[in-house]
Amino acid sequence: MSGRVVFVGAGPGAADLLTFRAAKAIAEADVVIWAASLVHEDVLQHARPDAEIVDSARLPMEGVLPYYERAVAEGLTVARIHSGDPALWGALQEQLDRCRALGLETEVVPGVSSFSAVAAAVERELTIPEVAQSVILTRLGGGKTPMPPGEEVREFARHGTTMALFLSAARSRQLQEELLEGGYPPDTPCVIAYQCTWPDELIVRCRLDALEETVKEHKLWKHTLVLVGAALEAGGTRSHLYHPGHFHGHRRADRAARRALRGG
């Protein structure tokens, strides 16, 4: 017998933000493993009525592995649902390694990350020309998982670009201090989002020098993402991509506009 495990990105919470591929993977699974503490239960509406539903919120890896072993022995398909995108802070790699050691076929279905959902909720582009052309996804050091050398928030802050900070709200004072030490001005705009796209979603804005105060005022410590950077308030500048003077394989440039774009 052979089995299969599909790691499914459930997105930030709202069930209608699942991809078609994710919904199909859940619908085809014999066993659906999800964490009630991280994934909204509405995603289970895609599961078959006869599917075995397993809440992994209280299970360590050793509690999940028996389902993978059963998949091998009984030729089952398991949908392992991850919040957001499985590639980010989802303990994905160690599970893939275990599955391959068992001889299981695997597939990873990407999901909408919470940083994308928050940007959409506040209707902001995170990469505004001449303001920010990079987005740093990171978390504050000092938590349960050690940070590699050189990946401290204060070091990333020196770039001054847009930053999305996961798993960091519980230590808002340290977060604010490191961002300021790294060089962000005190008036840098921030967006603090709790449970984005969930029914109890809360999204607030503040200046960086009020980050700690704002987080504590709303009693936020988990399921909270922080966006930081000038792009969160900057006006849009003219993109070269859609400028009439820009050309590519499907469009010719207007000559006069091309000269103007090139400064003469």
Side-chain angles (χ1 to χ4, degrees), residues 14-199:
D16 58 357
L17 283 177
L18 283 171
T19 64
F20 288 116
R21 186 177 298 185
K24 182 173 182 288
I26 295 170
E28 292 177 347
D30 302 296
V31 181
V32 177
I33 303 176
W34 73 301
S37 58
L38 298 172
V39 177
H40 197 278
E41 65 180 354
D42 283 355
V43 304
L44 298 179
Q45 66 189 2
H46 297 286
R48 298 192 330 240
D50 63 334
E52 181 178 356
I53 308 297
V54 179
D55 181 1
S56 64
R58 290 187 169 85
L59 298 178
M61 176 68 75
E62 288 73 12
V64 174
L65 286 176
Y67 294 97
Y68 297 165
E69 293 166 352
R70 272 185 54 206
V72 175
E74 301 174 29
L76 303 176
T77 295
V78 176
R80 177 68 163 100
I81 302 178
H82 283 245
S83 60
D85 184 277
L88 299 173
W89 296 286
L92 173 66
Q93 197 58 52
E94 60 181 297
Q95 293 184 80
L96 286 169
D97 293 343
R98 296 293 187 96
C99 287
R100 287 164 184 161
L102 289 169
L104 282 164
E105 178 186 346
T106 57
E107 180 185 355
V108 179
V109 178
V112 176
S113 175
S114 57
F115 86 90
S116 296
V118 175
V122 298
E123 298 187 346
R124 294 301 308 180
E125 180 181 355
L126 303 182
T127 54
I128 294 179
E130 301 178 38
V131 177
Q133 288 292 283
S134 304
V135 180
I136 296 173
L137 312 181
T138 190
R139 52 175 286 270
L140 192 62
K144 297 176 182 178
T145 303
M147 294 292 283
E151 291 195 19
E152 293 81 8
V153 164
R154 65 171 57 85
E155 295 302 321
F156 285 132
R158 301 189 194 285
H159 295 281
T161 190
T162 308
M163 190 181 298
L165 296 129
F166 297 72
L167 309 169
S168 303
R171 287 165 292 135
S172 56
R173 175 180 296 181
Q174 180 187 349
L175 179 60
Q176 178 177 310
E177 289 175 349
E178 290 203 24
L179 289 168
L180 289 169
E181 289 169 9
Y184 281 111
D187 63 349
T188 302
C190 299
V191 172
I192 304 167
Y194 168 79
Q195 299 262 92
C196 185
T197 80
W198 289 58

Side-chain angles (χ1 to χ4, degrees), residues 128-130 235-246 251 257 261:
I128 294 179
E130 301 178 38
T237 58
R238 188 64 191 265
S239 168
H240 284 199
L241 178 61
Y242 295 108
H243 194 286
H246 178 75
R251 190 179 76 218
L261 183 62

